Amino acid sequence: MAQVPQTFFDAVAVRTWCGLALETLGRAREEIDAINVYPVADGDTGTNLYLTVESAVAAVEAVFTGHAAASGPDGPSLADATRAMAHGALIGARGNSGTILAQLLRGMAQVLAGEGAARADGQGLRHALRHAADSARRAVAHPVEGTVLTVASAAADAADSTEGDCGAVARAAYDGARAALAATPAQLPVLERAGVVDAGGRGLVAVLGALVETLTREKPGVLGGSARTGPFSVPHARVGPGACSAVPVEGVRDEFADSAAAPGRDGPAFEVIYLLEAEDRAVERLRERLDALGDSLVVVGGDGLWNVHVHVDDAGAAVEAGIEAGRPHRIRITHFGAGDVHTTGAERPPRERAQRAVVAVVPGEGLAGLYTEAGATTVLARPGEPPASGELVQALRRAHAREVVLLPNDADLRHTAAAAAEQVRTEGIRVALIPTRSAVQGIAALAVHEPDRRFDEDVVSMTSAAGATRYAEVTVAEHQSWTMAGICQAGDVLGLIDGDVAVIGADVAETAETVLDRMLSAGGEMVTLVLGDEAPDSVAEHLEGRVRERHLAVDTVVYRGGRQGALLLIGVE
């Protein structure tokens, strides 16, 4: 992304900053993961920060794309860009550090968007950094010094004491953050024992460095490379290859400050994260309830949308608390595992990599369960929320295998999946990307998967099975549009075959029947039906009867897909 050096902060600067921050975190991600030891050495801080910023970048780019499509003379305003940045980070926040970063960005947006100006000067940026640090600290139930919160406050303090334009303010904030980061081992004994700085704080310094580069055209001190060199003079943390996918915690209860990494210490069994649509009053009650259930509580957001993060022993109770407060969605629950997360990296025995694994993107909880039972590592893609490349990279690593077969199960994910595969290949993992365009093609590929045969032979067999499976879906049109089958109106039932609209109807069962008949007219041996939650229960029975009557040699299998977006997925092999 092109750099735009300037003395003020506007929408273009927001876009540039987000892009540079993503690039910087991408380079530093592995090093930040490696120095994550507080309170447990689970090695995901860099990855989670990267995913959070990646979501912010996508939201900002969408705003610019929308304005370009409108052919207006002006681009988005500073308020538009900062709100998009904050919203993207909020909905994409991963882990404790990512959640806090999302609140920092939201705090900045509240100031920059609230002033209504086309651009912010140095004073505006100072106010934004101050409000960001203060709001992030308030979002953490039990703030602990020596964490990203300390680094953020130091950055704001340094900015407050600086006069000048935005470039000068950004540099002061960066320098203040670096100094505070270097001091974190003296504030947290666990960091001092491991010889590392706080991982979340290290990530924030990277983000502030990108802000300096945006506004001055100068790259600040190098953050990449070995953590044994440079101004921090700290070695890499000792993180075993068996580190689980749980995320680090900066904002735990105060009493954990000195003993979180002590050998044999037990902690909550689950990390629970979800987005929550709720009113402010309900969220205040939720904070109290979750604080009593566990630790590491961070609740960020506002204006009806919140990101909730907590570590608990009773994951169900944490989710139920969210249901009582409002509407939780995008729920993610990670089981830490006894003897894994709650032991130090030096104590954790290395886990041998499997020879081969399958990673698949699936559109609903039902299919996720089906794929998991078949041995695949799954990535859930909810309607309108495709996974980012960083999320696929994380899943490929989580599979913990020497060889991985990746099933994107969506034509639109081809480039994202290819980028993730390429990144993981640089880590010595052999990855084969099978270009599946639907979950039913992925089912066909998984059905012939044999991990004991040669990798190339297995990939060829899976690719052949997927390619021999025609796919279709039945869905409801959201608005009027032109299609290959004519003009559809909002509310029409659409039947898509191999990605193109082939049938426009008014009844789900009749449309599905027409689609299936067309697919079977070219032959087939097996029909796979995957029903979404909103599909009528009678559809599957109706279609099974149709196949029995007209295609005696064809078998039918039915699965429940859950909230998969489409009413029905159809596969014909």
Side-chain angles (χ1 to χ4, degrees):
M1 181 175 294
Q3 299 181 32
V4 185
Q6 51 198 40
T7 58
F8 53 84
F9 197 65
D10 62 359
V12 174
V14 172
R15 185 187 198 185
T16 304
W17 178 34
C18 289
L20 289 175
L22 187 65
E23 293 176 8
T24 303
L25 286 172
R27 292 191 297 268
R29 178 190 55 75
E30 291 185 1
E31 184 175 350
I32 295 172
D33 282 345
I35 64 170
N36 168 216
V37 297
Y38 179 73
V40 289
D42 47 18
D44 265 359
T45 294
T47 298
N48 287 323
L49 289 170
Y50 180 89
L51 292 173
T52 302
V53 174
E54 186 177 46
S55 182
V57 168
V60 172
E61 289 300 319
V63 167
F64 273 85
T65 300
H67 275 264
S71 301
D74 302 318
S77 65
L78 175 61
D80 292 335
T82 54
R83 286 172 181 151
M85 172 186 70
H87 181 74
L90 178 67
I91 65 174
R94 297 292 194 276
N96 187 282
S97 294
T99 306
I100 292 174
L101 177 60
Q103 185 64 18
L104 288 167
L105 297 179
R106 176 179 170 79
M108 292 187 67
Q110 287 175 322
V111 172
L112 297 173
E115 295 180 352
R119 59 181 64 177
D121 57 12
Q123 181 179 359
L125 185 57
R126 285 197 299 273
H127 290 167
L129 291 169
R130 176 82 272 160
H131 184 68
D134 293 345
S135 62
R137 187 170 288 270
R138 288 193 299 268
V140 178
H142 300 277
V144 174
E145 297 306 326
T147 67
V148 63
L149 296 174
T150 303
V151 175
S153 294
D157 291 342
D160 283 342
S161 62
T162 301
E163 297 294 335
D165 60 23
C166 286
V169 172
R171 183 171 293 282
Y174 173 78
D175 291 340
R178 280 172 67 91
L181 179 65
T184 55
Q187 295 172 290
L188 277 177
V190 62
L191 299 179
E192 186 175 26
R193 288 195 296 269
V196 298
V197 295
D198 177 69
R202 179 68 176 265
L204 179 58
V205 169
V207 172
L208 290 173
L211 181 62
V212 172
E213 185 176 355
T214 297
L215 295 168
T216 68
R217 199 190 288 237
E218 299 175 2
K219 287 190 176 183
V222 177
L223 284 172
S226 172
R228 296 178 184 275
T229 61
F232 303 129
S233 300
V234 291
H236 279 294
R238 297 175 295 278
V239 181
C244 83
S245 60
V247 293
V249 183
E250 282 79 9
V252 297
R253 295 181 185 274
D254 295 344
E255 62 263 30
F256 284 114
D258 295 328
S259 58
R265 179 178 177 85
D266 293 328
F270 298 95
E271 177 193 55
V272 179
I273 306 174
Y274 50 79
L275 290 178
L276 178 70
E277 296 177 11
E279 298 179 354
D280 291 3
R281 291 182 180 179
V283 172
E284 287 304 316
R285 294 193 297 270
L286 175 67
R287 290 179 193 269
E288 295 176 2
R289 181 168 178 185
L290 292 180
D291 193 26
L293 285 174
D295 58 52
S296 194
L297 174 61
V298 185
V299 181
V300 304
D303 301 323
L305 182 63
W306 308 82
N307 192 307
V308 179
H309 172 283
V310 68
H311 287 189
V312 294
D313 282 320
D314 190 344
V319 175
E320 288 174 2
I323 294 173
E324 291 182 4
R327 189 179 78 86
H329 54 105
R330 295 188 68 175
I331 301 169
R332 295 188 296 273
I333 299 175
T334 300
H335 181 229
F336 289 151
D340 186 8
V341 167
H342 301 298
T343 57
T344 65
E347 292 175 319
R348 182 187 300 115
R351 179 165 61 94
E352 182 67 22
R353 284 187 179 273
Q355 181 59 35
R356 191 172 308 159
V358 176
V359 172
V361 180
V362 291
E365 295 89 344
L367 282 177
L370 174 67
Y371 273 76
T372 301
E373 289 177 7
T377 297
T378 61
V379 178
L380 189 61
R382 300 186 185 279
E385 300 174 2
S389 62
E391 195 167 354
L392 296 184
V393 168
Q394 199 172 21
L396 290 168
R397 294 194 184 108
R398 193 169 68 245
H400 202 64
R402 300 180 183 91
E403 303 166 339
V404 183
V405 178
L406 177 58
L407 306 174
N409 292 340
D410 186 338
D412 292 337
L413 283 178
R414 181 182 59 179
H415 296 300
T416 301
E422 187 62 31
Q423 181 173 340
V424 174
R425 289 187 186 112
T426 64
E427 302 171 11
I429 301 173
R430 193 177 183 188
V431 182
L433 172 61
I434 298 180
T436 49
R437 294 170 290 177
S438 171
V440 291
Q441 287 189 323
I443 291 173
L446 199 55
V448 300
H449 169 54
E450 293 185 13
D452 293 333
R453 63 184 166 194
R454 290 180 56 242
F455 186 60
D456 292 341
E457 292 177 356
D458 197 28
V459 171
V460 169
S461 178
M462 295 177 72
T463 303
S464 177
T469 302
R470 299 190 69 193
Y471 65 96
E473 67 177 74
V474 177
T475 188
V476 177
E478 296 182 355
H479 49 75
Q480 183 188 58
S481 61
W482 293 86
T483 75
M484 296 286 290
I487 301 176
C488 72
Q489 305 295 329
D492 284 347
V493 180
L494 306 181
L496 292 80
I497 299 178
D498 293 338
D500 294 323
V501 176
V503 181
I504 300 175
D507 181 78
V508 175
E510 291 179 1
T511 303
E513 179 183 302
T514 302
V515 169
L516 185 56
D517 284 346
R518 291 192 185 185
M519 297 178 74
L520 287 173
S521 65
E525 299 176 355
M526 170 72 75
V527 171
T528 300
L529 305 175
V530 183
L531 274 74
D533 279 349
E534 298 180 359
D537 293 336
S538 59
V539 170
E541 184 177 349
H542 176 76
L543 295 179
E544 284 184 288
R546 182 78 170 181
V547 172
R548 283 195 302 268
E549 292 174 5
R550 299 202 171 195
H551 307 277
L552 298 178
V554 178
D555 294 325
T556 304
V557 60
V558 180
Y559 301 111
R560 289 284 178 179
R563 293 174 292 176
Q564 62 185 23
L567 298 175
L568 175 68
L569 302 178
I570 304 174
V572 174
E573 302 176 48

